[in-house]
Amino acid sequence: MTIFSKIIAGEIPSYKVAEDDLFYAFLDINPVAKGHTLVVPKQEVDYIFDQSDAMLSAHTVFAKRVASAIKKAIPCNRVGVAVMGLEVPHAHIHLIPLNSEGDMDFRKEHLKLSPEEMQEIAASIAANFE
Ligand code: 5GP
């Protein structure tokens, strides 16, 4: 079971942003920007492109809805999209509010946000999710 499956099952806490039958979105615990969100399929699959065409499409469309909520909740120029999967073997789309190119640099020092701040960010994105 991956760490993300444990999060989806509620065995590990997360700052949930959105959920439906197939997907779960939550704040990245080590964000590169305020509102950095991960969108994962509930079904465990390692590599994003190993998903069926239908699942990949649905994953992307769900991420689009989450990105729209992020854009409303967090002032930014764009919501950046990244897929790496080098750390956790459970397909996930990173959604990151961007104002400049450097905002998406995963090598820079990540933000340290308090649990209260994380909770507030998650709640404001969730409130804008349609
Ligand atoms: P990647 O697999 O795309 O290289 O990176 C995995 C991402 O998942 C990282 O940005 C990391 O901060 C995040 N991550 C790893 N473990 C946890 C966790 O337990 N909870 C949350 N919310 N995020 C995690």
Side-chain angles (χ1 to χ4, degrees):
M1 201 177 190
T2 68
I3 193 150
F4 290 167
S5 289
K6 289 180 184 162
I7 285 173
I8 293 160
E11 291 171 20
I12 293 176
S14 66
Y15 298 98
K16 181 170 122 177
V17 158
E19 177 179 20
D20 73 359
D21 290 350
L22 297 174
F23 303 101
Y24 191 87
F26 56 106
L27 295 186
D28 193 301
I29 204 68
N30 197 17
V32 297
K34 265 189 198 184
H36 182 173
T37 298
L38 303 175
V39 184
V40 304
K42 290 186 173 177
Q43 192 184 2
E44 224 174 77
V45 52
D46 178 357
Y47 182 49
I48 190 163
F49 290 142
D50 280 342
Q51 294 183 101
S52 68
D53 290 357
M55 276 299 290
L56 180 62
S57 305
H59 192 180
T60 307
V61 171
F62 190 82
K64 174 181 170 179
R65 289 169 62 203
V66 176
S68 170
I70 293 173
K71 186 84 173 62
K72 286 177 189 150
I74 315 265
C76 60
N77 287 341
R78 292 275 162 156
V79 176
V81 182
V83 176
M84 292 174 295
L86 295 172
E87 189 186 319
V88 179
H90 186 144
H92 50 282
I93 296 174
H94 293 258
L95 297 176
I96 302 167
L98 300 180
N99 290 303
S100 69
E101 216 182 349
D103 293 344
M104 208 139 145
D105 183 355
F106 281 74
R107 291 167 302 188
K108 74 176 182 193
E109 199 177 332
H110 293 212
L111 301 180
K112 290 181 182 67
L113 303 174
S114 69
E116 293 74 23
E117 247 180 315
M118 291 288 273
Q119 189 52 53
E120 198 180 307
I121 294 165
S124 65
I125 298 171
N128 283 286
F129 182 72
E130 291 172 354

